[in-house]
Amino acid sequence: MNITFSHPLYGLLLLLIPLLWWFAAATTDWRKKLLRSVLLSCIIVALMEPVGLFAQLRSTQVFIWDNSPSVTTAQQQEARASIEQKLAQLTDSDNAVVIQLHPSQQDFPVSTLTIASQSSITDSSSSLSMALELALQQIPVGEMGAITLYSDGHATDSHWQSAITQLQERNIRLHTVALQSRSQTPFIAALKVSDARVTQRVKVAANLAGDVSLLNVDTVQLSLYQLAESKATTRHPLKLLARSPAYDINDSDSLPASLTLSFVAPQADFIPVLARLENAQDGSPLTSDPQQQWHDVIAIQPPLPLLHIGDSSAHESLERLLGPGFQVTTQQPEQFQGVADNALVLLNNVTASRFSKNSQQRLLQSIEQGTGLFVSGGQRAFVDDNFASSTLAPALPVRVPPQQTLNQDSIALAIVIDSSGSMMGDPLRLAKQMARLAVQKLKPSDQVGVVEFYGARQWAVPMQLAEHAELIERSIGKMQAQGGSTLFPAIEEAYFGLKNVTARYKHLLVISDAGVEENNYRQLLKHIVSENITVSTALVGSNQEGEQRMVDLARWGHGRYYSINNDFDMVQLDFNAPQLTPDEIYQQDQFNVSLHRNDWWPKALTPPPLRGFIKADKRLAATTLASVAQQPLLSSWQYGSGRVTTLLTEILGTGSETWSDWPDYGNWLARALQHTAQQQQPYQMTLQRQFSQLRVDITANQANALPPQLSRVSADGSLITEPLTRRAPHHWVAILEQPSSEAARLILQQGGWQQFAAQRADADLHAELQVANWQKLSLPALAEAGQGQYWSTVSDTLLGQSLQRQQGQRAVVLWPWLASLALILYLLDILYRRWPASWTRNGRWRVRK
Amino acid sequence: MSPLAWLLGAFLLAGGLLLLQRLRERYKALPVANMVLWQQALQSSQVRSLWHRFRHWLTYLFILVIALLLWLLAAAPQWSVNDQQALKLYYLDASAYMTAGNRFAEAKHQLLADIEQQPAANRRVLLGDLETRLLLREDEQSALLPARLETVRAQLQPSRFSAWLRQIQQQNPQRPLRVFYYGYPTQAPLSVPTTTLLQVVVAHASAPLTNNQGITSFGKQITADGKHIRVYLEVAQSDPTVTAPRLQWFLDERPYQPQRIQQLATTEPGLLRYELVIPRSLGSHLRVRLITNDNFRGDDHASLTMTDSTPLRIVLSEQAPKLFMRVLAADPGLQQVSDAEQADVAVRRSGEAKSDLPTWVIGAPTTTPSLSFASNSARTSVSSPETMLQQVFGFDVATLTQRLGQPPSLSWQPQNKSLYGQRQLLMSPDWLQQKSDIVDSATFPLLISRGLNWLANRQSLSYAKIAEQPTLPVNAQGELQLKPFFTRTTGQKWQQQTLNPALLEMPLTALKTTATAEALAAVASDVDSVKPHRPLANYLLLLVLLLLAVEWLAVQRGWIP
């Protein structure tokens, strides 16, 4: 035991006690002095306010009684009785507190606290997490304690992390007792809304929970209404946005996991909505209690920023066609500086020559980083200027090579071979070899003839088709060297032979050792050339003197000169000159269009026939979304982080002019553009609410992202800029005071780009009677975390729960006891003074003064 | 003691004293003849007797007053309390500011001194830590407080005074509250308006921090090439003229000198921002220390885990493809374990026993190679499975098509609701057939490794955040998380991450000091409102002491019998 004194300075008064003896009369009995001294000492010590600290086994027991409406009345009373029974088992050394989630009529015999409602909308909500935290606050530092939770686990919020952390840190045991909950009429447990931009389809899925047997209707549907915000708390449905198909509850014993509906986002804004379950037959709500209905706010993102690269004249038509879902910016191809904040680039019938290589490279990089690219065009883009062979071409999901036909024109070849005596031996052999090789390169449809000259001239092989090349070669082989060299007439002869032949190209090849006569070859060859006949020469042998003559002949004949000294110099002349002529790739006619990909647009879309399109080959990894005459019309694929889609016709041009009357054209095209656009927002925004505090985490999805600006739309519609704290190169945080009763509406901005985010009021809370099973607090797991026991029924708790006590301290205020002692001493003092007689040694009473 | 009992006792006292009073001395004149007769006379003349006329009323009353006062003191009377009386709450702030110097000890000392003067009734003492723990209940004696205060200390955590005040007001909507604040009064306790139901008094204001310099942000981002880490550092200081704080860097606890630290532009006075790039391969744990002369150490250091170098633990089921074992053996970042309890990710075929771990499931054969992603959290940010493929594996569809020989079928898998978004990958066995090019390609190990890492969702904190309980696990957003026991799906195991609890998740401390000093001067007078309470008993005791002394003197002088 320890004794502490609150005012120890009063102890100085004890020093005055000897004065009492000093002022006493000499005749005063010492016993009286002693009695009085002790009496005064008691008073002085009482003034010092002593407090005795005694070691004692003690504990603090906290009982949480869930008397919320979700628990049946019978269970509530049973729990109450159990608590009272446990309170009766406690001793004076124990401290007990009862925490009830709702006010009750009867009090417990100990201190009772009531949890305040955390929501102004759902007035009946009660927070188990707050109850746990409050329970922990009842157990003082350094004391052992235990908490017993009687609940059905229907927690109206999930902010219990802190409480459970404290339990574990402070080693406080948590016991849980399961109570039975009431059956709940079917309700919407959660509403999931897909991200959507204006004019896009918003998909809404409502997760359902509850007991279908409590329904007295046959069919159920989910309806979504747009609300008009009013200053009053009542909300008036403005208009029906969408309705799900009716669900026949007679088909199944349970509700479907979710009901879905969708609607087209009307404008970029925050849309307050009301979702409710209705009787499908008459549209009446399943419950008339407005708090049982789901209020939410849907954020419709701003129009998709689209960069249109093309003629500015098409800007307005494009805007009109695509509608309000796109924010179109038009740039001339020459002015392209970069993608900036646009999610999608539309190359509209752009010729490659207008779009520089650097710009294409820059655009390619943007696509690889996630920007979408939609390329459309017709003849102008893909044919005339051959866009398909540009820098951007590898990124396209189709290959549009220039289709060409290989044309091989007819040739007529007259070979003039010098078979004079000077050619004997290798020269003639080489000449014949060269002639044979030239004949081999001819097509069967070509014509060939061989003139030999040996003083005279003759056609060794008259002009004929080269289809029997072996016969011609045999004839060539029969030539023998003899006689003199008279080349001039041989050339004339060959000329006359070629002149009458019909061929695209005519050649005359002279093979000689150049030991020929002088003549006016120049005039002759000039004339021959004027007839579109080229003359080439080949010098066989090594006649240095004749080389110049042969060179001159070739020059005059507009041909080529060859020098064949030996077999190593042998050439195979090919007079063929095949030419490619482009095919007609832009097809024009009436073509039926087939749409393939159903998740890009509704099945019911049927485009009218197309007037013109570009023939192309789809790349292996690409997907054909629309085809024409089994040719890809609309193709798409992933390129890097971005997507590239090609439409092989003009959006607003000749090929698609029949579509101008198609009412769904704009919608169809818009969907194709939306699916092509960058899917990922530049920033990811996460909202977490904890009662009246809203935490906003913003993470940039790209490197080197600039700091965004965050604004909050207040209740009166004004924009309030909220400061962001940068936590990492790509991460910003804002913690806002956001009343629970107000929906959160936030706008994130960076440059020209905007992103909306919304969160309904009381987003972190559930209404008392709208807690789904999967949202319940698991009582067994909670007891395990709190190292306590779990009872599945209240009656089980009667089996015993030993109270754990810990050595603690009890403080006892001692001064009242000292005052009591002082009183007794005083009375004794007076008695001693007044007692009539004293007992003498003689055994007799004697009178005392 | 009830008043009736006290009154009864008072009557008994009065009666007893009356009797004693009657026993006072009185003298009677007796004529006597001789000595023997003197003796007889004395013996026969009773000096004290109850049966005579009552006299000396004043003496009786005097004694009675003393006795009744003592009787009153023995009853230990107290003023009755009811709910309408103001509840006095003594709040000892144990947040980060109080760790500087002796602030917390001084506040404790002042609190003890004040509490001892106050009656136990209607008074509660609370410790302003993250949990707002109770130090003294309303009926407990202040003598218990010193021992309890010995066990508590200030911690590096944000002040929760505002949140607590809101909570206590909600708990007591109708009852007047009087809050006495002991601590470092930032804006929160100073800005609470006084109403009929609430009054906040700064009973003890710790000395403001002067010339403080501290780290207020420390975060990281992996660069796009995956080889470097970009680090962001923010330093705040009350003296805007200081432009170059002295920093010490440690990488895996070895001194580290960054090659280049770039100072970023800022418009706020006293705020400095820096960025540096560190090769990822250099180390896994980066710590920075600010060398300052201020006496507040709490904001002078921070640390980050750059990369998690512990291998990812994978458990393979009996029928899991052997190809996975090959990859696990080859990749040092992956480790095969046999016990599912120790694993981070599981791989199995469909039809085998399920586990609570993030799982790679090899499904039934399909016409085209298919890959399905299942993740609640990922679905909210990414809408296209193709984009998911890019993000998860780093491949685009074209690359995989080339490897597989045909385009894969990608989709989202509907997932059961769970709080912690258990991830799953469902892959058709076509991918793993021997004849498939992808198996022998260089992309295959990468695909497996990336997929497993995505499943594990093992991300280290992107920025240093003060952990409210540093030894407990945190998730990638720095939020406290526990093993999700309270849903049936346990989801993934969170990493145990011990944070250096040095970084303050609160407004810039340094920039607030000046304002606080001025505000303190304005509210200094409030300190006097914590007036010591002198119990009535003290006065009564003093009175009794005085009366006893007087009575003693009077008896000695014979003034009263």
Side-chain angles (χ1 to χ4, degrees):
Chain A
M1 181 189 106
N2 286 330
I3 297 179
T4 64
F5 296 94
S6 299
H7 304 287
L9 287 179
Y10 280 118
L12 292 173
L13 290 174
L14 291 171
L15 297 174
L16 300 177
I17 296 292
L19 291 178
L20 187 149
W21 292 67
W22 179 266
F23 284 108
T27 56
T28 305
D29 191 358
W30 66 269
R31 295 181 189 89
K32 286 184 189 173
K33 295 176 193 174
L34 185 63
L35 208 55
R36 186 53 60 114
S37 299
V38 175
L39 167 62
L40 291 180
S41 299
C42 285
I43 301 295
I44 293 170
V45 173
L47 271 171
M48 293 164 69
E49 288 192 37
V51 177
L53 297 174
F54 301 93
Q56 189 185 44
L57 287 177
R58 49 191 288 120
S59 72
T60 302
Q61 298 293 322
V62 184
F63 300 91
I64 300 176
W65 181 41
D66 185 352
N67 58 343
S68 57
S70 64
V71 181
T72 62
T73 309
Q75 284 283 277
Q76 288 182 28
Q77 294 308 313
E78 225 177 300
R80 189 193 172 87
S82 172
I83 293 172
E84 284 173 343
Q85 199 169 31
K86 284 190 165 31
L87 288 173
Q89 293 172 2
L90 298 178
T91 64
D92 291 339
S93 61
D94 300 317
N95 185 57
V97 176
V98 175
I99 296 172
Q100 54 191 17
L101 266 62
H102 277 256
S104 70
Q105 300 295 330
Q106 298 167 288
D107 287 333
F108 287 90
V110 295
S111 170
T112 307
L113 306 171
T114 306
I115 297 294
S117 173
Q118 293 307 305
S119 167
S120 60
I121 295 180
T122 52
D123 292 332
S124 61
S125 73
S126 50
S127 175
L128 273 177
S129 65
M130 290 212 65
L132 276 174
E133 285 199 18
L134 191 61
L136 285 162
Q137 288 175 9
Q138 306 310 309
I139 302 173
V141 169
E143 274 216 358
M144 177 73 98
I147 301 171
T148 306
L149 169 65
Y150 290 78
S151 176
D152 58 353
H154 279 216
T156 53
D157 66 77
S158 55
H159 302 307
W160 49 64
Q161 293 99 322
S162 174
I164 294 170
T165 307
Q166 289 183 51
L167 281 173
Q168 299 193 331
E169 279 284 295
R170 297 177 64 185
N171 206 21
I172 294 173
R173 291 186 193 276
L174 173 64
H175 310 289
T176 57
V177 182
L179 303 180
Q180 213 174 15
S181 52
R182 296 178 199 276
S183 296
Q184 301 158 298
T185 52
F187 60 92
I188 297 171
L191 202 73
K192 304 282 172 63
V193 181
S194 67
D195 257 351
R197 293 184 180 274
V198 60
T199 71
Q200 282 185 340
R201 188 152 282 273
V202 182
K203 293 175 192 165
V204 179
N207 295 127
L208 306 182
D211 189 351
V212 70
S213 64
L214 296 178
L215 288 177
N216 54 6
V217 298
D218 292 327
T219 51
V220 167
Q221 66 190 9
L222 173 73
S223 293
L224 190 73
Y225 296 90
Q226 181 174 352
L227 298 176
E229 291 276 15
S230 65
K231 291 185 180 173
T233 56
T234 53
R235 288 172 167 79
H236 306 283
L238 182 64
K239 68 172 188 180
L240 175 69
L241 286 174
R243 193 164 266 155
S244 73
Y247 178 81
D248 191 342
I249 62 173
N250 296 319
D251 290 344
S252 167
D253 292 335
S254 61
L255 280 171
S258 64
L259 288 175
T260 57
L261 50 80
S262 65
F263 66 96
V264 175
Q267 74 262 357
D269 201 356
F270 297 99
I271 303 179
V273 296
L274 165 72
R276 68 185 188 195
L277 293 174
E278 294 173 340
N279 182 353
Q281 286 174 346
D282 58 10
S284 59
L286 291 187
T287 170
S288 55
D289 182 1
Q291 295 191 1
Q292 301 282 318
Q293 297 165 358
W294 187 278
H295 296 266
D296 212 323
V297 178
I298 296 178
I300 305 297
Q301 303 300 329
L304 197 70
L306 182 147
L307 176 62
H308 167 231
I309 299 179
D311 291 328
S312 50
S313 58
H315 175 89
E316 276 189 32
S317 306
L318 195 62
E319 272 194 332
R320 218 171 16 249
L321 179 65
L322 297 177
F326 293 86
Q327 186 185 336
V328 180
T329 311
T330 298
Q331 272 183 14
Q332 301 287 334
E334 298 86 352
Q335 296 166 348
F336 178 72
Q337 295 295 329
V339 172
D341 299 320
N342 292 286
L344 174 68
V345 174
L346 169 61
L347 281 183
N348 185 15
N349 219 12
V350 170
T351 57
S353 58
R354 294 183 67 193
F355 205 37
S356 71
K357 210 169 180 180
N358 278 343
S359 298
Q360 293 182 39
Q361 199 62 41
R362 204 177 299 136
L363 181 57
L364 259 182
Q365 284 172 359
S366 298
I367 300 167
E368 286 168 355
Q369 288 171 7
T371 305
L373 174 66
F374 194 99
V375 179
S376 73
Q379 177 138 1
R380 195 171 111 187
F382 288 103
V383 179
D384 292 350
D385 209 24
N386 205 359
F387 184 87
S389 58
S390 62
T391 307
L392 271 178
L396 303 183
V398 295
R399 212 179 288 113
V400 187
Q403 302 285 347
Q404 292 169 326
T405 302
L406 191 65
N407 291 327
Q408 289 186 317
D409 297 316
S410 57
I411 294 172
L413 174 66
I415 305 174
V416 176
I417 298 178
D418 182 356
S419 59
S420 62
S422 61
M423 291 285 285
M424 188 172 294
D426 277 343
L428 185 60
R429 183 182 62 78
L430 289 172
K432 285 195 268 190
Q433 180 65 13
M434 191 175 183
R436 279 197 287 269
L437 288 174
V439 168
Q440 285 169 8
K441 284 304 265 187
L442 295 174
K443 302 187 299 293
S445 57
D446 295 331
Q447 297 186 65
V448 63
V450 180
V451 176
E452 61 172 330
F453 66 94
Y454 48 87
R457 72 218 180 256
Q458 65 171 11
W459 284 93
V461 176
M463 292 299 296
Q464 57 185 271
L465 290 173
E467 55 187 356
H468 301 297
E470 64 279 4
L471 292 175
I472 298 170
E473 287 177 29
R474 198 176 299 137
S475 298
I476 294 172
K478 287 179 183 173
M479 288 182 195
Q480 291 185 5
Q482 58 183 333
S485 298
T486 49
L487 177 59
F488 193 92
I491 293 175
E492 275 186 325
E493 190 65 34
Y495 161 65
F496 291 134
L498 279 175
K499 186 178 171 183
N500 298 323
V501 164
T502 305
R504 180 70 178 83
Y505 298 104
K506 297 179 183 176
H507 298 285
L508 200 154
L509 176 63
V510 177
I511 307 175
S512 171
D513 61 355
V516 295
E517 79 286 14
E518 295 289 334
N519 211 324
N520 193 2
Y521 289 102
R522 186 171 185 168
Q523 194 65 29
L524 174 62
L525 289 175
K526 190 176 172 182
H527 179 72
I528 291 173
V529 165
S530 69
E531 297 280 336
N532 289 325
I533 299 171
T534 56
V535 179
S536 297
T537 60
L539 176 68
V540 292
S542 54
N543 184 352
Q544 302 294 329
E545 295 167 359
E547 185 176 11
Q548 187 57 45
R549 183 176 295 122
M550 298 299 273
V551 169
D552 288 339
L553 287 176
R555 183 163 48 85
W556 295 329
H558 290 189
R560 291 186 69 179
Y561 163 75
Y562 300 94
S563 172
I564 313 295
N565 293 321
N566 48 47
D567 288 306
F568 294 103
D569 296 334
M570 184 57 63
V571 294
Q572 183 173 29
L573 299 179
D574 186 0
F575 294 97
N576 276 311
Q579 284 190 344
L580 295 171
T581 54
D583 276 349
E584 195 60 49
I585 64 170
Y586 184 67
Q587 305 292 300
Q588 286 186 302
D589 202 341
Q590 288 273 81
F591 301 99
N592 289 329
V593 178
S594 306
L595 299 181
H596 300 296
R597 185 84 174 248
N598 289 332
D599 56 344
W600 279 39
W601 37 69
K603 291 178 188 176
L605 277 182
T606 47
L610 201 63
R611 279 289 299 276
F613 74 101
I614 297 290
K615 274 176 63 178
D617 301 323
K618 178 183 80 73
R619 293 188 197 269
L620 184 61
T623 307
T624 302
L625 301 158
S627 62
V628 166
Q630 297 181 344
Q631 297 283 330
L633 174 67
L634 183 71
S635 304
S636 182
W637 73 343
Q638 191 88 10
Y639 187 82
S641 293
R643 175 166 285 276
V644 180
T645 303
T646 49
L647 176 64
L648 295 171
T649 187
E650 305 93 329
I651 289 179
L652 301 161
T654 315
S656 61
E657 65 179 10
T658 48
W659 285 2
S660 59
D661 295 329
W662 179 28
D664 288 325
Y665 181 30
N667 183 23
W668 176 81
L669 182 63
R671 283 168 180 269
L673 289 168
Q674 284 159 2
H675 280 280
T676 306
Q678 183 175 26
Q679 300 299 319
Q680 195 178 47
Q681 298 272 25
Y683 298 90
Q684 184 179 331
M685 201 159 39
T686 309
L687 309 185
Q688 282 180 314
R689 196 193 279 259
Q690 182 155 1
F691 300 126
S692 61
Q693 202 178 63
L694 179 69
R695 182 188 167 107
V696 184
D697 279 272
I698 298 163
T699 308
N701 289 321
Q702 292 165 354
N704 300 321
L706 295 172
Q709 186 185 27
L710 179 68
S711 303
R712 185 164 57 95
V713 181
S714 64
D716 60 4
S718 58
L719 271 185
I720 304 167
T721 302
E722 298 286 354
L724 285 173
T725 304
R726 190 173 192 176
R727 288 294 176 210
H730 63 312
H731 194 115
W732 294 265
V733 173
I735 297 181
L736 316 175
E737 292 299 320
Q738 178 76 38
S740 290
S741 58
E742 284 180 20
R745 295 175 291 177
L746 302 169
I747 300 176
L748 195 66
Q749 224 163 340
Q750 171 47 246
W753 166 88
Q754 271 190 342
Q755 181 180 349
F756 291 2
Q759 197 178 61
R760 61 189 288 255
D762 288 330
D764 59 330
L765 303 178
H766 308 287
E768 182 62 42
L769 297 175
Q770 292 186 338
V771 178
N773 281 336
W774 69 82
Q775 295 163 334
K776 278 174 62 170
L777 192 58
S778 168
L779 296 177
L782 195 59
E784 183 189 336
Q787 297 179 345
Q789 280 183 281
Y790 164 73
W791 290 278
S792 56
T793 60
V794 180
S795 53
D796 287 347
T797 63
L798 297 176
L799 294 175
Q801 169 195 336
S802 59
L803 290 170
Q804 288 198 305
R805 295 186 173 88
Q806 178 183 324
Q807 198 75 6
Q809 280 192 324
R810 188 166 70 97
V812 177
V813 178
L814 297 179
W815 65 262
W817 297 99
L818 289 167
S820 304
L821 180 61
L823 175 62
I824 294 169
L825 290 172
Y826 185 61
L827 291 175
L828 282 176
D829 182 34
I830 295 175
L831 189 64
Y832 188 72
R833 268 191 284 156
R834 298 296 175 80
W835 194 251
S838 65
W839 192 252
T840 65
R841 289 181 195 171
N842 299 331
R844 294 166 72 178
W845 288 99
R846 73 173 176 86
V847 174
R848 249 188 333 104
K849 286 195 172 178
Chain B
M1 184 188 298
S2 67
L4 191 63
W6 187 86
L7 278 173
L8 188 63
F11 278 122
L12 288 174
L13 264 177
L17 287 170
L18 190 72
L19 291 176
L20 288 172
Q21 180 70 3
R22 291 187 73 84
L23 285 177
R24 61 144 179 85
E25 282 182 353
R26 68 180 178 87
Y27 292 97
K28 185 177 173 182
L30 286 176
V32 292
N34 53 28
M35 189 63 77
V36 175
L37 292 173
W38 275 111
Q39 190 180 6
Q40 275 185 348
L42 280 172
Q43 282 177 351
S44 61
S45 67
Q46 292 177 342
V47 177
R48 292 182 172 78
S49 169
L50 290 169
W51 315 113
H52 58 82
R53 187 166 59 90
F54 189 85
R55 296 194 297 171
H56 301 285
W57 278 97
L58 288 177
T59 308
Y60 170 69
L61 285 173
F62 185 62
I63 295 170
L64 185 63
V65 163
I66 295 174
L68 287 179
L69 280 175
L70 284 172
W71 179 232
L72 185 64
L73 284 166
Q78 294 177 11
W79 297 113
S80 65
V81 296
N82 56 49
D83 288 346
Q84 300 310 311
Q85 289 182 324
L87 177 63
K88 292 181 193 168
L89 301 162
Y90 294 81
Y91 187 92
L92 175 64
D93 200 331
S95 62
Y97 295 122
M98 301 300 286
T99 62
N102 286 330
R103 287 171 175 77
F104 193 60
E106 289 166 2
K108 277 201 295 189
H109 182 75
Q110 182 66 45
L111 174 66
L112 278 171
D114 291 345
I115 287 299
E116 282 170 5
Q117 313 291 336
Q118 304 300 322
N122 253 9
R123 172 270 286 135
R124 208 184 292 172
V125 182
L126 299 139
L127 178 69
D129 57 2
L130 276 174
E131 304 136 1
T132 314
R133 290 184 286 170
L134 187 66
L135 283 170
L136 270 188
R137 270 195 295 265
E138 287 169 46
D139 56 352
E140 285 184 323
Q141 294 298 319
S142 58
L144 295 171
L145 190 57
R148 290 178 181 173
L149 283 177
E150 281 295 309
T151 63
V152 299
R153 51 189 54 83
Q155 291 188 355
L156 288 170
Q157 62 211 10
S159 175
R160 287 206 59 200
F161 180 74
S162 301
W164 169 81
L165 199 62
R166 253 196 316 269
Q167 190 186 36
I168 202 73
Q169 282 183 287
Q170 285 175 346
Q171 279 307 122
N172 301 276
Q174 304 299 328
R175 188 171 184 185
L177 300 173
R178 203 142 184 261
V179 177
F180 298 94
Y181 178 85
Y182 295 77
Y184 185 100
T186 53
Q187 297 307 312
L190 298 175
S191 60
V192 179
T194 299
T195 64
T196 53
L197 289 178
L198 176 67
Q199 183 189 10
V200 176
V201 175
V202 180
H204 172 83
S206 299
L209 294 172
T210 54
N211 294 326
N212 186 43
Q213 210 179 27
I215 297 170
T216 49
S217 275
F218 190 45
K220 72 173 199 312
Q221 180 191 21
I222 298 175
T223 55
D225 61 5
K227 294 179 184 172
H228 294 83
I229 292 180
R230 187 178 290 114
V231 177
Y232 174 76
L233 174 72
E234 206 174 77
V235 175
Q237 53 210 9
S238 56
D239 181 3
T241 61
V242 176
T243 55
R246 293 168 57 202
L247 299 167
Q248 257 185 343
W249 298 86
F250 301 89
L251 198 55
D252 292 340
E253 292 309 313
R254 293 188 307 272
Y256 172 68
Q257 186 59 42
Q259 285 186 345
R260 183 170 161 266
I261 301 177
Q262 181 190 0
Q263 185 166 359
L264 304 175
T266 177
T267 54
E268 291 183 60
L271 186 66
L272 301 169
R273 294 191 169 128
Y274 301 93
E275 199 170 275
L276 58 149
V277 179
I278 298 175
R280 207 169 162 184
S281 56
L282 283 187
S284 59
H285 190 258
L286 181 68
R287 183 164 67 90
V288 63
R289 183 173 154 241
L290 186 63
I291 300 172
T292 65
N293 293 327
D294 60 50
N295 62 351
F296 185 38
R297 296 279 172 259
D299 57 358
D300 289 347
H301 54 116
S303 64
L304 273 177
T305 298
M306 310 288 277
T307 53
D308 190 347
S309 54
T310 58
L312 195 62
R313 294 164 298 185
I314 317 294
V315 61
L316 301 179
S317 69
E318 285 181 5
Q319 296 178 31
K322 297 291 182 285
L323 290 168
F324 277 82
M325 286 175 60
R326 243 178 48 202
V327 175
L328 264 58
D331 189 340
L334 304 174
Q335 180 188 3
Q336 186 179 354
V337 297
S338 53
D339 185 5
E341 284 292 315
Q342 296 174 356
D344 301 310
V345 176
V347 179
R348 65 174 176 86
R349 288 198 186 264
S350 65
E352 290 190 279
K354 295 181 184 178
S355 77
D356 291 334
L357 294 169
T359 308
W360 193 318
V361 181
I362 312 300
T366 52
T367 51
T368 55
S370 67
L371 189 64
S372 297
F373 301 94
S375 164
N376 273 345
S377 56
R379 184 73 192 271
T380 55
S381 61
V382 173
S383 57
S384 152
E386 286 86 358
T387 310
M388 196 68 212
L389 181 76
Q390 176 73 21
Q391 287 190 351
V392 173
F393 295 102
F395 301 128
D396 56 21
V397 176
T399 307
L400 284 182
T401 301
Q402 218 174 354
R403 294 295 181 195
L404 290 169
Q406 52 182 316
S409 161
L410 305 171
S411 60
W412 284 109
Q413 186 83 335
Q415 190 181 23
N416 290 329
K417 292 164 276 291
S418 71
L419 283 177
Y420 288 91
Q422 182 185 13
R423 293 182 168 189
Q424 277 206 343
L425 264 176
L426 181 65
M427 179 185 262
S428 64
D430 314 59
W431 298 70
L432 308 173
Q433 288 171 2
Q434 290 297 332
K435 64 184 179 185
S436 165
D437 285 344
I438 200 168
V439 168
D440 292 327
S441 72
T443 55
F444 185 68
L446 208 53
L447 188 145
I448 299 294
S449 173
R450 286 179 178 172
L452 291 170
N453 274 284
W454 176 78
L455 283 168
N457 194 21
R458 199 164 64 165
Q459 307 166 35
S460 53
L461 277 178
S462 65
Y463 62 91
K465 174 180 159 59
I466 190 164
E468 295 164 352
Q469 274 79 19
T471 57
L472 287 177
V474 293
N475 68 359
Q477 282 75 42
E479 297 298 333
L480 267 182
Q481 296 294 341
L482 301 174
K483 185 179 174 186
F485 49 81
F486 42 86
T487 60
R488 289 302 163 198
T489 311
T490 55
Q492 60 211 72
K493 294 197 168 93
W494 299 102
Q495 275 183 301
Q496 288 281 352
Q497 189 160 5
T498 304
L499 291 180
N500 185 346
L503 197 61
L504 306 177
E505 185 85 38
M506 60 176 72
L508 302 171
T509 63
L511 299 183
K512 297 283 187 244
T513 52
T514 308
T516 304
E518 291 166 357
L520 278 178
V523 299
S525 59
D526 277 351
V527 179
D528 295 335
S529 63
V530 185
K531 292 179 185 142
H533 170 86
R534 297 285 176 204
L536 181 63
N538 273 19
Y539 295 111
L540 291 175
L541 282 168
L542 284 169
L543 180 61
V544 165
L545 193 65
L546 184 65
L547 290 175
L548 284 171
V550 168
E551 192 228 14
W552 175 256
L553 206 61
V555 165
Q556 297 309 308
R557 292 288 184 272
W559 297 336
I560 57 174

